Amino acid sequence: MATVATLILLMPLLGFLTLLLLGHYLSEKQVGVIGTGVVAASFIFAIISFVLLLHDSSREVTVNLFAWISVGTLHVPAALLVDPLSITMCLFVTGISALIHLYSTGYMHGEKDFRKFFIYLNLFVFSMLLLVLANNLVLTFVGWEGVGLCSYWLVSYYFDRDSAASAGKKAFIYNRVGDVGMLVAMFLLFSRLHTLTYLTIFERAGTLTPVIATLVVLTLLLAATGKSAQIPLFNWLPDAMEGPTPVSALIHAATMVTAGVYLLVRMSPVLALSHSGRMTIAVIGGVTAFVAATIATSQKDIKKVLAFSTISQIGYMVLAVGVGAYGAAIFLMISHAFFKALLFLGSGSVIHSLNGEQDMRKMGGLQKYLPLTFPTFLVGWLAISGIPPFAGFWSKGDVLTNVFEHNKALWALGVLTAILTAYYMTRLFILTFRGTERFREDTAGHDPHESPWVMTTPLVVLAALTVVGGILDLPWVHHDSLAGFLAPTFGYVAAGGHADTLAQYGLALVDVAAAVFGLLAAYSIWRNITESSRYESSFLEHVWHWDDFYDATIGRPLTEAAQFSDDVIEPQVIDGAVTGLAVSVRRSAEGLRKVQSGFVRHYALATVLGLAVVIVYLVARVG
Amino acid sequence: MNVPAAWYLILAAVLFGIGAFGLLTRRSALIMFMCIELMLNAVNLTFVTFSRTLNDISGQAIVFFVMVVAAAEVTVGLGIVVAIFRRRSSTSVDELSEMKG
Amino acid sequence: MIAAAYSVPNVLVFVTATLLILVGAIGVISVKNPVHAALCLIMTLIGVAVAFIAQSADFLAAVQIIVYAGAIVVLFLFVIMFLGVDRREHIHFEPLVGQRAFAAVGVAITVGGLITLMARSHWVSGASSVTTKLSKVGSGNVKELGTAVFTTYLFAFEATAALLIIAVVGAVLLARREQRADVEENA
């Protein structure tokens, strides 16, 4: 087990190193094979580990790699924790990564930095796996930073575009702000519990005072909002769409942005200690979901709609975490990974066929030209809107059911968001695939062509997973399903399904109704038009002016402070201090110089006065 | 009974003080030298007084040597004075202020 | 007046010595003409010699007159003549600011401190060494002094002899004119 688990982690690292050192000598095809192959191998090892874990009664295996930090009372091993939660994460991360790697070999074909792309992508997978498999907060943090770094590199992949370079920086900086939260949480936990290993933290967590526990939870929440793009650190994600579409699919839909949720779920025993902390988490999740959904209704760029959709869906996951429905959150994470990756890759296929066009106003009628992309995209669309029997219905429903039991107001917000979700996704679908053809200029009169098999195969696989994904956690089989599997990690037996069946059916009906309502509303509005000032607001399009707000309150004051520092403080204070020191030394030396008057009698006088002092001293001594 | 040693000691101290004051106040190099001689004499007087009261010849031996050294010092010192002031028209030490600053 | 515990001749001798010394000293520091100053110095030196005799340092008194007054002051006079006897100093004018004030203060503190120190230490404290005792008052002490200089302090004696030679050579060197360069130019 230990070897296999380590191999999960090492395969992408191996791929990274091989491509880094030997990539120059390899052809594009070889690079693609190596890059995808190692991730696929990692997936296979994950499956093997999963099977091995099932046979392990403790469901908790620690794999010690080497002793890493050992200073005083701080002992941080480089060790992996293989338990239901981490293996679940590994499975879907490696699986979806493998599919996206395959897709990228087609999408990025012909790019001059093809090799660099796969190097970063492999390193990313390694970091993500490290994050998920680590058995202590510090090693998780290493992975955390690693994914942030790879995200930066990949978002600014087209670095000669200013917008791409800024987007990369924006992503990294927002992540960094969140990282402060993670660090503070680590400091607090270590100072109180003297350990950073998960299992030990959970054992000792009971000794935390409520105040400290709440602080830890809030700081972890800050870290999660940074990485998972929630309020208040969410506006980097739409900008990150500057990166190539496979990057958006992998990092900003399926994996990195789920890391924040993972962290919160992993620290669930600590979350359990703070009711106000959980409440805050739930509110943040719910509000983010709603706000992001409103913004998505007015976006023109297909990838931006999907980006805000991601923020919104992760808001659902965070909401679920806030009410304690960890299993539901992970279920939604997995199913979201399936259909969001599907949607992103599908949009990539669309963009590819239109030679790079991303504005939906210039699409339309692609249904008949993309015979594989269209149906797979349709499946994704229905799933995310919450139409049964696709995965989205079950997973979102699971979340909403759990929320209903805890907080009706948040539940109502969730349902409203679901309506909006169905609405904007239907709008996207109609504008892209149905209606009149508006893309003729982009394709210079030719018909758009379907993507090659390397790109369509992952679409098909993901669509299949979306269709059947609901099986993972159907409400009436909790014990034998995902939630049951994950339960030991959360220290409680899966509690889902205890709401009486009538309420469950009622809620399910509400979910379907919301989805259908949103869908029909969008269909009737957008069937014939491509733009509408009535149904699209500029306030929403500009992200509730959130970026401008940050710019005005933080960006510009800081820039001005920096400018002031450069103009005033630097020359006057700092240089002034240094030169001032030199000047004062010189002046005092010049002053002292006057003592040397050149007159012998002055020197003689000094001698006599010195003698007088000595004699006075002696008199004082004797007397 | 001889006069108590204290009186001679006070006399010597006063002589020393006068010599010091003269050294600091006069500008002529030669007069300054003479003031130095005054101070040396004060010291000699002190030594002799102590020699008498302590009944020890060492004090007088020291005076002997002080006189020798004073002679040597005057020799060399006046040689320097001659060397410096040969060309100038005054013996004022205030003019020797080139080491200023 | 002075207590009759002390014999009158001794007191008289002391007073004489004092007068000679102080008048001479004040003369040295206050007369304008250097030749007059040298003469006042002689007065002081004679006063000191008197004090030496009163304290049974006969040999030293003699040496004082012969060497100090006879040789050193004469040397002074030579140099005064050499450099021009008419040079007078403007005593009343003091170019250096505050020199006199500070000098007075410094000297006053020094002298006052010295006297205080001596008074606090009961004027004379210290053991007599085992070198040699003085001879009785009244008789000469040349023998004792000679013995001390030539036995206990022999090294110092030889060293001072060397010192004198060095001083002479140094004085000759300092006082000569630079004739070498002229001679070589003419050659």
Side-chain angles (χ1 to χ4, degrees), chain B residues 23 29-41 43-44 64-82, chain C residues 41 67-68 71-73 75-76 79 160-172 174:
Chain B
L23 179 65
L30 294 159
I31 308 273
M32 286 169 84
F33 243 108
M34 291 184 212
C35 297
I36 292 177
E37 294 310 315
L38 287 181
M39 291 198 279
L40 279 168
N41 274 285
V43 170
N44 286 349
F64 181 83
F65 290 120
V66 169
M67 283 190 198
V68 170
V69 173
E73 167 222 342
V74 166
T75 309
V76 175
L78 288 178
I80 294 175
V81 167
V82 164
Chain C
L41 182 62
V67 170
Y68 246 113
I72 292 178
V73 179
L75 193 54
F76 263 109
V79 175
T160 49
L163 177 67
L164 281 173
I165 295 184
I166 294 170
V168 168
V169 171
V172 169
L174 281 168

Side-chain angles (χ1 to χ4, degrees), chain A residues 212-243:
Chain A
I212 296 290
T214 309
L215 263 176
V216 171
V217 170
L218 290 178
T219 46
L220 286 173
L221 176 61
L222 180 66
T225 57
K227 194 61 86 181
S228 296
Q230 300 294 289
I231 290 174
L233 298 172
F234 69 97
N235 27 357
W236 63 268
L237 191 57
D239 286 48
M241 296 297 112
E242 292 276 348

Side-chain angles (χ1 to χ4, degrees), chain A residues 322-545:
Chain A
V323 298
Y326 306 116
I330 299 293
F331 181 32
L332 180 56
M333 189 192 290
I334 299 175
S335 58
H336 172 261
F338 293 154
F339 53 70
K340 194 44 75 61
L342 171 61
L343 288 168
F344 262 113
L345 294 183
S347 73
S349 185
V350 166
I351 295 170
H352 180 86
S353 72
L354 294 181
N355 297 324
E357 181 58 66
Q358 293 182 204
D359 190 330
M360 293 190 291
R361 293 172 290 188
K362 294 218 190 124
M363 296 182 186
L366 286 168
Q367 178 178 353
K368 58 180 191 271
Y369 300 107
L370 301 174
L372 274 174
T373 308
F374 173 70
T376 53
F377 203 94
L378 184 134
V379 170
W381 161 58
L382 290 177
I384 195 176
S385 305
I387 307 286
F390 300 107
F393 167 69
W394 303 110
S395 52
K396 200 187 300 189
D398 202 3
V399 170
L400 286 174
T401 310
N402 278 289
V403 174
F404 181 77
E405 285 164 24
H406 287 88
N407 189 320
K408 305 287 188 286
L410 285 173
W411 172 80
L413 197 61
V415 172
L416 189 57
T417 310
I419 299 177
L420 287 172
T421 308
Y423 170 80
Y424 66 70
M425 283 311 297
T426 310
R427 167 176 173 262
L428 183 148
F429 186 76
I430 293 178
L431 285 177
T432 310
F433 288 99
R434 313 270 304 162
T436 57
E437 298 174 6
R438 304 179 292 279
F439 51 77
R440 284 296 162 183
E441 327 172 309
D442 287 320
T443 57
H446 299 296
D447 291 344
H449 56 91
E450 183 57 270
S451 311
W453 71 271
V454 284
M455 284 168 68
T456 53
T457 310
L459 291 177
V460 171
V461 173
L462 286 169
L465 284 170
T466 311
V467 170
V468 304
I471 289 182
L472 276 177
D473 203 356
L474 296 170
W476 49 85
V477 288
H478 269 302
H479 260 290
D480 297 326
S481 67
L482 181 67
F485 176 61
L486 289 173
T489 316
F490 310 132
Y492 66 94
V493 178
H498 68 265
D500 65 282
T501 330
L502 192 61
Q504 276 210 298
Y505 278 121
L507 289 173
L509 212 58
V510 171
D511 290 342
V512 177
V516 170
F517 176 65
L519 201 151
L520 287 176
Y523 184 72
S524 65
I525 295 172
W526 292 95
R527 196 163 37 149
N528 295 315
I529 58 175
T530 56
E531 268 188 275
S532 160
S533 56
R534 187 163 161 223
Y535 294 108
E536 289 172 352
S537 117
S538 113
F539 173 71
L540 293 178
E541 193 184 346
H542 288 110
V543 192
W544 291 37
H545 295 293

